[in-house]
Amino acid sequence: MDGTDELRSLPDWRVLVVGGASGMGKTGVGRALARRYGVPVVEVDDIVEALLAVTLPGHLPEVHFWRTHPQAARQTPESVAERQIAIAEALAPAIEAVVANHVGTDTPVILEGDYVLPRPATPKGAVRSVFLHEDDEAQVTANYLGRPVRLVLSPGTFECLDSRIDGATLFKMVKLALPSLA
């Protein structure tokens, strides 16, 4: 390969945003598109985790909201949706920086996550987007049930972000995986 074939194989976009609510299938679609185009995926969840690691709740309260207010997840769907939009607005500068970096360096990437807003996209431009929606509640439930269990581990504590796992089972899982914590 002399380099020109590589240039011709690049997609005509630099950032493809795959957005939508949790449980819509964004990760599966993003990964399939990444394989199709031979480009990496940047997950917005990773951006969130990085920001959580380097900021305090007082600095970015919206980004820290679910960790500082875990009971809020039991609020009405409308209230949760409003909170998700507020978090997306707070994350917008970080997401826009990632988008600008990939456009500026001419490096294609798929950006996937719950907290992306449609505004960085431009029709037929360097940034394109698709937002997924699923009306079938059974399919959304199946999407959630098919997810692996996520554990959040920090020094001296652990918590499960999967409501299907009770505390005793979680403790056994952590003890098996990380005996030094249990």
Side-chain angles (χ1 to χ4, degrees), residues 17-95:
V17 177
V18 179
S22 186
M24 296 296 121
K26 296 176 303 298
T27 300
V29 168
R31 288 178 182 165
L33 289 168
R35 283 190 301 274
R36 160 72 173 83
Y37 290 105
V39 301
V41 175
V42 170
E43 294 186 21
V44 174
D45 286 347
D46 291 335
I47 297 169
V48 170
E49 290 302 318
L51 289 171
L52 288 170
V54 299
T55 64
L56 297 172
H59 182 242
L60 286 173
E62 291 297 340
V63 175
H64 287 265
F65 184 80
W66 295 120
R67 294 228 175 130
T68 58
H69 301 83
Q71 74 287 357
R74 293 177 193 68
Q75 294 176 348
T76 65
E78 295 80 12
S79 179
V80 171
E82 287 175 15
R83 178 61 59 188
Q84 293 289 87
I85 292 168
I87 294 168
E89 292 287 349
L91 289 169
I95 292 169

Side-chain angles (χ1 to χ4, degrees), residues 7 17 19-20 29 56 82 106 110 113 117 123-124 131-132 142 156 161 167-168:
L7 290 176
V17 177
V29 168
L56 297 172
E82 287 175 15
D106 200 29
I110 293 175
L117 301 170
K124 297 187 181 183
F131 283 78
L132 305 181
L161 300 180

Side-chain angles (χ1 to χ4, degrees), residues 126-143:
V127 182
R128 312 261 179 92
S129 65
V130 59
F131 283 78
L132 305 181
H133 177 74
E134 176 61 65
D135 283 328
D136 183 354
E137 287 185 35
Q139 181 60 55
V140 175
T141 300
N143 290 350

